[in-house]
Amino acid sequence: MIILHVKVYNLILKTLNKKNQKVRILLNKQLSKYLGIDFGTKKSGVSISDSNKLISFPLETIETKNLLDYIKQININENIEIVVIGKPLKLNTEIHDLEEEIAKFIKLLEIQLPNIQVERVDERFTSKISSNIIINSGLNKKNRRDKSIIDKISASLILESYLIQKNK
């Protein structure tokens, strides 16, 4: 159903000319979604919002080296407007060593996908909260140890945090 909407949206955009720029911008924002990223050195969790930008859903955990290509691919079908990336702060609010890698990734993202806005959100405690969610979910012990589940739930919590701040 979503893919159908995106195809219709792309067809409408093709028919619009420059005189209808305001309509194009409005359509773009109405059908766009946000992505949430829990960036890791080896693997990163990814989440996505609904079209109304109210709810966050865990998508998957992928290898970080493939993250940019993954975002490009998902952008084709989902029209991503904003990517929210967790900002790894220590408890004393110092920036974590991982921030250097994240900054490099953001530069690449902004160069290769300049129409996508990048936002940052404090990601402290998202892994701990994710672990608690998984424990309370009723998953068996073997599945609870799967770090990829924690990563994508953490990404969803990062995006959810941004959506709450934005919709206040």
Side-chain angles (χ1 to χ4, degrees), residues 10-162:
N10 287 334
L11 181 63
I12 291 169
L13 283 184
K14 285 180 183 176
T15 61
L16 294 174
N17 58 30
K18 290 186 179 184
K19 292 179 185 175
N20 295 319
Q21 187 67 20
K22 288 181 183 176
V23 174
R24 181 188 306 262
I25 291 168
L26 182 62
L27 273 173
N28 202 18
K29 289 199 180 275
Q30 283 181 335
L31 294 173
S32 66
K33 294 183 179 181
Y34 298 168
L35 278 185
I37 308 289
D38 180 30
F39 192 93
T41 52
K42 294 181 181 177
K43 294 192 179 210
S44 295
V46 182
S47 64
I48 194 164
S49 74
D50 63 328
S51 297
N52 294 323
K53 298 156 194 95
L54 297 172
I55 303 170
S56 172
F57 302 96
L59 264 182
E60 58 184 288
T61 299
I62 60 167
E63 290 186 31
T64 301
K65 66 181 182 182
N66 300 327
L67 184 57
L68 189 56
D69 290 334
Y70 180 81
I71 293 171
K72 287 179 189 176
Q73 188 61 41
I74 202 162
N75 186 47
I76 292 168
N77 294 326
E78 301 294 348
N79 189 31
I80 303 303
E81 181 183 351
I82 295 176
V83 172
V84 181
I85 301 174
K87 187 171 187 117
L89 298 172
K90 296 178 183 177
L91 290 178
N92 63 3
T93 68
E94 287 181 16
I95 294 176
H96 193 278
D97 299 337
L98 185 59
E99 183 61 27
E100 197 174 309
E101 284 187 55
I102 295 172
K104 290 176 188 175
F105 174 77
I106 290 172
K107 283 183 184 177
L108 282 173
L109 180 62
E110 290 173 337
I111 290 167
Q112 295 192 26
L113 294 165
N115 294 332
I116 295 179
Q117 180 181 337
V118 177
E119 296 287 341
R120 304 297 302 279
V121 170
D122 183 353
E123 69 171 33
R124 284 179 288 185
F125 307 114
T126 56
S127 293
K128 183 68 176 166
I129 295 168
S130 296
S131 294
N132 288 337
I133 289 170
I134 291 167
I135 288 168
N136 293 323
S137 72
L139 282 175
N140 65 37
K141 200 169 192 175
K142 181 183 176 189
N143 288 336
R144 287 195 308 246
R145 289 188 196 141
D146 184 356
K147 176 109 170 66
S148 68
I149 296 172
I150 292 173
D151 291 339
K152 61 185 169 185
I153 292 175
S154 293
S156 188
L157 291 171
I158 288 166
L159 181 54
E160 183 179 324
S161 175
Y162 177 79

Side-chain angles (χ1 to χ4, degrees), residues 34 53 82 161-168:
Y34 298 168
K53 298 156 194 95
I82 295 176
S161 175
Y162 177 79
L163 294 172
I164 290 168
Q165 286 176 1
K166 185 178 179 302
N167 293 320
K168 277 188 178 179

